[in-house]
mmCIF file of all heavy atoms in Angstrom:
data_model
loop_
_atom_site.group_PDB
_atom_site.id
_atom_site.type_symbol
_atom_site.label_atom_id
_atom_site.label_comp_id
_atom_site.label_asym_id
_atom_site.label_seq_id
_atom_site.Cartn_x
_atom_site.Cartn_y
_atom_site.Cartn_z
ATOM 1 N N GLU A 235 -31.132 5.992 13.089
ATOM 2 C CA GLU A 235 -31.269 5.357 14.328
ATOM 3 C C GLU A 235 -32.566 4.593 14.499
ATOM 4 O O GLU A 235 -32.585 3.452 15.091
ATOM 5 C CB GLU A 235 -31.245 6.410 15.473
ATOM 6 C CG GLU A 235 -29.763 6.948 15.629
ATOM 7 C CD GLU A 235 -28.716 5.863 16.006
ATOM 8 O OE1 GLU A 235 -29.073 4.956 16.835
ATOM 9 O OE2 GLU A 235 -27.656 5.926 15.431
ATOM 10 N N LYS A 236 -33.652 5.016 13.931
ATOM 11 C CA LYS A 236 -34.827 4.420 14.041
ATOM 12 C C LYS A 236 -35.432 4.243 12.625
ATOM 13 O O LYS A 236 -36.370 5.000 12.121
ATOM 14 C CB LYS A 236 -35.975 5.177 14.862
ATOM 15 C CG LYS A 236 -35.524 5.374 16.197
ATOM 16 C CD LYS A 236 -36.545 6.107 17.051
ATOM 17 C CE LYS A 236 -36.095 6.333 18.613
ATOM 18 N NZ LYS A 236 -37.101 7.037 19.363
ATOM 19 N N PRO A 237 -34.963 3.227 11.894
ATOM 20 C CA PRO A 237 -35.215 2.929 10.511
ATOM 21 C C PRO A 237 -36.777 2.507 10.416
ATOM 22 O O PRO A 237 -37.418 1.930 11.241
ATOM 23 C CB PRO A 237 -34.239 1.925 10.071
ATOM 24 C CG PRO A 237 -33.961 1.164 11.258
ATOM 25 C CD PRO A 237 -33.951 2.180 12.410
ATOM 26 N N GLU A 238 -37.309 2.677 9.222
ATOM 27 C CA GLU A 238 -38.599 2.122 8.871
ATOM 28 C C GLU A 238 -38.514 0.819 8.331
ATOM 29 O O GLU A 238 -38.082 0.542 7.174
ATOM 30 C CB GLU A 238 -39.282 3.103 7.622
ATOM 31 C CG GLU A 238 -40.567 2.725 7.164
ATOM 32 C CD GLU A 238 -41.628 2.736 8.199
ATOM 33 O OE1 GLU A 238 -41.601 3.519 9.224
ATOM 34 O OE2 GLU A 238 -42.656 1.982 8.105
ATOM 35 N N LEU A 239 -38.883 -0.113 9.186
ATOM 36 C CA LEU A 239 -38.811 -1.584 8.845
ATOM 37 C C LEU A 239 -40.202 -2.158 9.232
ATOM 38 O O LEU A 239 -40.891 -1.651 10.070
ATOM 39 C CB LEU A 239 -37.677 -2.277 9.686
ATOM 40 C CG LEU A 239 -36.329 -1.661 9.681
ATOM 41 C CD1 LEU A 239 -35.496 -2.467 10.622
ATOM 42 C CD2 LEU A 239 -35.836 -1.660 8.268
ATOM 43 N N ILE A 240 -40.570 -3.188 8.583
ATOM 44 C CA ILE A 240 -41.865 -3.894 8.664
ATOM 45 C C ILE A 240 -41.645 -5.389 8.980
ATOM 46 O O ILE A 240 -40.862 -6.026 8.534
ATOM 47 C CB ILE A 240 -42.885 -3.620 7.644
ATOM 48 C CG1 ILE A 240 -42.231 -3.969 6.238
ATOM 49 C CG2 ILE A 240 -43.285 -2.044 7.660
ATOM 50 C CD1 ILE A 240 -43.148 -3.923 5.144
ATOM 51 N N PHE A 241 -42.592 -5.848 9.852
ATOM 52 C CA PHE A 241 -42.655 -7.262 10.269
ATOM 53 C C PHE A 241 -44.006 -7.722 10.201
ATOM 54 O O PHE A 241 -44.998 -7.057 10.572
ATOM 55 C CB PHE A 241 -42.066 -7.385 11.576
ATOM 56 C CG PHE A 241 -40.754 -6.873 11.865
ATOM 57 C CD1 PHE A 241 -40.534 -5.564 12.419
ATOM 58 C CD2 PHE A 241 -39.607 -7.552 11.576
ATOM 59 C CE1 PHE A 241 -39.293 -5.026 12.685
ATOM 60 C CE2 PHE A 241 -38.349 -6.985 11.759
ATOM 61 C CZ PHE A 241 -38.204 -5.740 12.198
ATOM 62 N N GLY A 242 -44.155 -8.977 9.668
ATOM 63 C CA GLY A 242 -45.449 -9.471 9.665
ATOM 64 C C GLY A 242 -46.268 -9.345 8.416
ATOM 65 O O GLY A 242 -46.218 -8.159 7.728
ATOM 66 N N ILE A 243 -47.071 -10.192 8.000
ATOM 67 C CA ILE A 243 -47.812 -10.189 6.745
ATOM 68 C C ILE A 243 -48.781 -8.994 6.765
ATOM 69 O O ILE A 243 -49.033 -8.338 5.744
ATOM 70 C CB ILE A 243 -48.656 -11.449 6.438
ATOM 71 C CG1 ILE A 243 -49.273 -11.521 5.122
ATOM 72 C CG2 ILE A 243 -49.589 -11.817 7.547
ATOM 73 C CD1 ILE A 243 -48.311 -11.295 3.923
ATOM 74 N N GLN A 244 -49.453 -8.679 7.881
ATOM 75 C CA GLN A 244 -50.313 -7.608 7.989
ATOM 76 C C GLN A 244 -49.766 -6.324 7.603
ATOM 77 O O GLN A 244 -50.355 -5.320 7.233
ATOM 78 C CB GLN A 244 -51.089 -7.559 9.338
ATOM 79 C CG GLN A 244 -50.279 -7.123 10.476
ATOM 80 C CD GLN A 244 -49.414 -8.272 11.139
ATOM 81 O OE1 GLN A 244 -49.259 -9.227 10.442
ATOM 82 N NE2 GLN A 244 -49.019 -8.061 12.292
ATOM 83 N N HIS A 245 -48.450 -6.086 7.897
ATOM 84 C CA HIS A 245 -47.764 -4.916 7.702
ATOM 85 C C HIS A 245 -47.218 -4.947 6.250
ATOM 86 O O HIS A 245 -46.992 -3.912 5.652
ATOM 87 C CB HIS A 245 -46.693 -4.696 8.708
ATOM 88 C CG HIS A 245 -47.224 -4.615 10.070
ATOM 89 N ND1 HIS A 245 -48.078 -3.659 10.542
ATOM 90 C CD2 HIS A 245 -46.943 -5.324 11.278
ATOM 91 C CE1 HIS A 245 -48.326 -3.779 11.802
ATOM 92 N NE2 HIS A 245 -47.732 -4.937 12.308
ATOM 93 N N LYS A 246 -46.705 -6.091 5.836
ATOM 94 C CA LYS A 246 -46.003 -6.241 4.496
ATOM 95 C C LYS A 246 -46.920 -5.841 3.370
ATOM 96 O O LYS A 246 -46.519 -5.479 2.333
ATOM 97 C CB LYS A 246 -45.405 -7.646 4.315
ATOM 98 C CG LYS A 246 -44.325 -7.863 5.294
ATOM 99 C CD LYS A 246 -43.848 -9.309 5.278
ATOM 100 C CE LYS A 246 -42.752 -9.511 6.389
ATOM 101 N NZ LYS A 246 -42.552 -10.928 6.440
ATOM 102 N N MET A 247 -48.289 -5.917 3.545
ATOM 103 C CA MET A 247 -49.152 -5.718 2.658
ATOM 104 C C MET A 247 -49.859 -4.379 2.848
ATOM 105 O O MET A 247 -50.920 -4.109 2.319
ATOM 106 C CB MET A 247 -50.222 -6.911 2.475
ATOM 107 C CG MET A 247 -49.569 -8.131 1.896
ATOM 108 S SD MET A 247 -48.714 -8.046 0.429
ATOM 109 C CE MET A 247 -50.203 -7.668 -0.603
ATOM 110 N N THR A 248 -49.206 -3.453 3.571
ATOM 111 C CA THR A 248 -49.811 -2.231 3.918
ATOM 112 C C THR A 248 -49.913 -1.356 2.661
ATOM 113 O O THR A 248 -49.202 -1.532 1.591
ATOM 114 C CB THR A 248 -48.857 -1.428 4.914
ATOM 115 O OG1 THR A 248 -49.381 -0.158 5.223
ATOM 116 C CG2 THR A 248 -47.489 -1.199 4.362
ATOM 117 N N SER A 249 -50.864 -0.511 2.659
ATOM 118 C CA SER A 249 -51.177 0.426 1.386
ATOM 119 C C SER A 249 -50.145 1.616 1.341
ATOM 120 O O SER A 249 -50.391 2.259 0.442
ATOM 121 C CB SER A 249 -52.695 0.857 1.519
ATOM 122 O OG SER A 249 -52.897 1.623 2.652
ATOM 123 N N VAL A 250 -49.396 1.636 2.381
ATOM 124 C CA VAL A 250 -48.512 2.883 2.348
ATOM 125 C C VAL A 250 -47.369 2.490 1.269
ATOM 126 O O VAL A 250 -46.756 1.467 1.365
ATOM 127 C CB VAL A 250 -47.872 3.151 3.682
ATOM 128 C CG1 VAL A 250 -46.815 4.235 3.662
ATOM 129 C CG2 VAL A 250 -49.015 3.520 4.733
ATOM 130 N N ASP A 251 -47.136 3.584 0.461
ATOM 131 C CA ASP A 251 -45.998 3.466 -0.495
ATOM 132 C C ASP A 251 -44.789 3.750 0.198
ATOM 133 O O ASP A 251 -44.669 4.523 1.082
ATOM 134 C CB ASP A 251 -46.141 4.340 -1.697
ATOM 135 C CG ASP A 251 -47.101 3.761 -2.803
ATOM 136 O OD1 ASP A 251 -47.264 2.519 -2.792
ATOM 137 O OD2 ASP A 251 -47.638 4.508 -3.513
ATOM 138 N N PRO A 252 -43.592 3.070 -0.183
ATOM 139 C CA PRO A 252 -43.490 2.190 -1.371
ATOM 140 C C PRO A 252 -43.823 0.689 -1.190
ATOM 141 O O PRO A 252 -43.754 -0.077 -2.147
ATOM 142 C CB PRO A 252 -42.004 2.341 -1.678
ATOM 143 C CG PRO A 252 -41.376 2.439 -0.308
ATOM 144 C CD PRO A 252 -42.313 3.245 0.543
ATOM 145 N N TYR A 253 -44.183 0.313 0.047
ATOM 146 C CA TYR A 253 -44.448 -1.081 0.336
ATOM 147 C C TYR A 253 -45.619 -1.697 -0.527
ATOM 148 O O TYR A 253 -45.270 -2.726 -1.196
ATOM 149 C CB TYR A 253 -45.007 -1.255 1.804
ATOM 150 C CG TYR A 253 -43.945 -0.834 2.780
ATOM 151 C CD1 TYR A 253 -44.281 0.161 3.693
ATOM 152 C CD2 TYR A 253 -42.600 -1.407 2.782
ATOM 153 C CE1 TYR A 253 -43.390 0.566 4.658
ATOM 154 C CE2 TYR A 253 -41.702 -1.027 3.685
ATOM 155 C CZ TYR A 253 -42.082 -0.105 4.739
ATOM 156 O OH TYR A 253 -41.191 0.353 5.682
ATOM 157 N N PHE A 254 -46.651 -1.017 -0.675
ATOM 158 C CA PHE A 254 -47.732 -1.687 -1.550
ATOM 159 C C PHE A 254 -47.320 -1.600 -3.157
ATOM 160 O O PHE A 254 -47.495 -2.618 -3.796
ATOM 161 C CB PHE A 254 -49.036 -0.839 -1.398
ATOM 162 C CG PHE A 254 -50.136 -1.328 -2.217
ATOM 163 C CD1 PHE A 254 -50.813 -2.538 -1.743
ATOM 164 C CD2 PHE A 254 -50.506 -0.770 -3.412
ATOM 165 C CE1 PHE A 254 -51.998 -3.033 -2.490
ATOM 166 C CE2 PHE A 254 -51.522 -1.319 -4.092
ATOM 167 C CZ PHE A 254 -52.300 -2.365 -3.710
ATOM 168 N N TYR A 255 -46.542 -0.576 -3.493
ATOM 169 C CA TYR A 255 -46.216 -0.418 -4.880
ATOM 170 C C TYR A 255 -45.052 -1.575 -5.252
ATOM 171 O O TYR A 255 -45.189 -2.281 -6.240
ATOM 172 C CB TYR A 255 -45.530 0.894 -5.080
ATOM 173 C CG TYR A 255 -44.893 1.024 -6.478
ATOM 174 C CD1 TYR A 255 -45.807 1.189 -7.553
ATOM 175 C CD2 TYR A 255 -43.561 1.000 -6.691
ATOM 176 C CE1 TYR A 255 -45.183 1.352 -8.982
ATOM 177 C CE2 TYR A 255 -43.061 1.027 -7.988
ATOM 178 C CZ TYR A 255 -43.850 1.287 -9.101
ATOM 179 O OH TYR A 255 -43.217 1.353 -10.252
ATOM 180 N N TYR A 256 -44.051 -1.728 -4.244
ATOM 181 C CA TYR A 256 -43.178 -2.792 -4.551
ATOM 182 C C TYR A 256 -43.795 -4.182 -4.487
ATOM 183 O O TYR A 256 -43.496 -4.986 -5.372
ATOM 184 C CB TYR A 256 -42.096 -2.763 -3.270
ATOM 185 C CG TYR A 256 -41.145 -1.697 -3.355
ATOM 186 C CD1 TYR A 256 -40.221 -1.466 -2.279
ATOM 187 C CD2 TYR A 256 -41.150 -0.636 -4.305
ATOM 188 C CE1 TYR A 256 -39.296 -0.316 -2.187
ATOM 189 C CE2 TYR A 256 -40.250 0.364 -4.313
ATOM 190 C CZ TYR A 256 -39.317 0.451 -3.390
ATOM 191 O OH TYR A 256 -38.472 1.583 -3.302
ATOM 192 N N SER A 257 -44.795 -4.370 -3.697
ATOM 193 C CA SER A 257 -45.538 -5.721 -3.703
ATOM 194 C C SER A 257 -46.156 -5.984 -4.960
ATOM 195 O O SER A 257 -46.093 -7.102 -5.613
ATOM 196 C CB SER A 257 -46.438 -5.897 -2.592
ATOM 197 O OG SER A 257 -45.775 -5.757 -1.357
#
Side-chain angles (χ1 to χ4, degrees):
E235 288 301 319
K236 296 180 179 180
E238 176 63 27
L239 310 176
I240 53 176
F241 305 94
I243 185 63
Q244 70 276 23
H245 300 301
K246 290 169 186 172
M247 293 305 291
T248 179
S249 60
V250 176
D251 277 337
Y253 299 121
F254 183 77
Y255 176 74
Y256 286 178
S257 298

